[in-house]
Amino acid sequence: MTACRSATEPPASSRATRASGGGSLVPRLIDFAERFTVVVAFLIYATVNYDREHPLNFCIAVTDVITVWYVLIRRPATSLSPHPEDWILALGGTLLAMLARPGGTPLIHPTVIAGLAAQGMLISLFAKLSLNRSFGLAPANRGVRMRGAYVFVRHPMYLGYALTHGAYLLMNPTELNFILIGATWACQLGRIMREERWLMQDPAYRRYARIVRFRMVPGLF
């Protein structure tokens, strides 16, 4: 999810790219398809993880309802990345983890896993509340947010996702889940780098990046 958007006018190249996208219909169709895909994937993910005997899996899964809600209520972008690579990374980082399935024997005590998942959920929620409707999947400009969680790192939402995905993997350490979560984070890291390249076109975001130096983990990255 894009960490920050610029409220200022996007660069001329961004406006030109957007204008050449076939008018307003194409962005609206892309927006609808993105929302529909995310909602369906989440419903399937929550359903397959529902088990009364193992409620922790379901609790971790439903943390993504926050993501779905903000995808549905987000405001329109002033500029949107037209690059297929950005969309592939965004959808891969969002949807691959939802293909994970229950299985295996927990690697650590479920109470510890629950605590890790709760931390991830709270960080993600804090980040989403900080963005409010300035939220999306692919790189886009929806206004810079230099408050709340975004005072500490530029992409706190990804930190929250890392914790919840790690909790799910510790609870369900199957080979398939290792592959899916690994692929998810290959997409997420690529997504962060391309997202930043897109947003750095904006002077307001460049000023923000000089103030908040780290992307996801203070002192490390």
Side-chain angles (χ1 to χ4, degrees):
M1 291 52 190
T2 305
C4 284
R5 291 13 177 235
S6 170
T8 60
E9 184 70 10
S13 60
S14 299
R15 297 197 301 271
T17 300
R18 188 178 170 203
S20 65
S24 61
L25 180 60
V26 171
R28 277 188 279 178
L29 287 174
I30 292 173
D31 183 73
F32 173 79
E34 183 185 35
R35 296 182 196 213
F36 179 80
T37 302
V38 169
V39 170
V40 171
F42 168 72
L43 291 175
I44 295 172
Y45 181 51
T47 299
V48 299
N49 279 281
Y50 179 75
D51 184 346
R52 291 183 179 180
E53 294 183 4
H54 302 90
L56 183 55
N57 282 336
F58 182 71
C59 290
I60 296 174
V62 296
T63 61
D64 278 326
V65 74
I66 306 167
T67 299
V68 175
W69 172 247
Y70 277 97
V71 166
L72 294 176
I73 68 168
R74 69 188 177 197
R75 64 164 57 95
T78 59
S79 68
L80 187 65
S81 173
H83 303 296
E85 302 96 319
D86 291 333
W87 287 90
I88 291 170
L89 290 171
L91 292 173
T94 302
L95 300 179
L96 284 172
M98 292 187 186
L99 298 177
R101 297 293 181 260
T105 302
L107 297 179
I108 58 176
H109 196 278
T111 302
V112 179
I113 297 175
L116 187 66
Q119 289 181 52
M121 182 188 69
L122 290 174
I123 291 172
S124 294
L125 179 59
F126 186 25
K128 290 183 175 78
L129 290 174
S130 300
L131 279 181
N132 198 2
R133 294 181 64 214
S134 297
F135 176 85
L137 299 185
N141 279 310
R142 291 186 176 92
V144 166
R145 292 295 181 270
M146 295 179 61
R147 64 187 184 193
Y150 291 85
V151 170
F152 304 103
V153 290
R154 301 201 296 269
H155 301 274
M157 209 176 300
Y158 291 107
L159 175 58
Y161 294 152
L163 293 173
T164 54
H165 290 162
Y168 190 90
L169 192 56
L170 289 170
M171 189 69 185
N172 305 278
T174 65
E175 183 177 344
L176 174 62
N177 288 342
F178 272 102
I179 293 171
L180 288 169
I181 300 300
T184 293
W185 278 94
C187 288
Q188 296 287 49
L189 293 174
R191 186 179 180 185
I192 289 173
M193 304 310 293
R194 291 188 63 87
E195 187 174 287
E196 292 243 312
R197 186 169 69 180
W198 174 260
L199 293 171
M200 285 295 183
Q201 297 176 81
D202 193 310
Y205 190 84
R206 290 199 296 271
R207 288 193 296 271
Y208 168 70
R210 286 195 294 269
I211 296 169
V212 180
R213 294 176 52 204
F214 295 100
R215 296 180 178 94
M216 197 172 83
V217 182
L220 293 177
F221 174 67

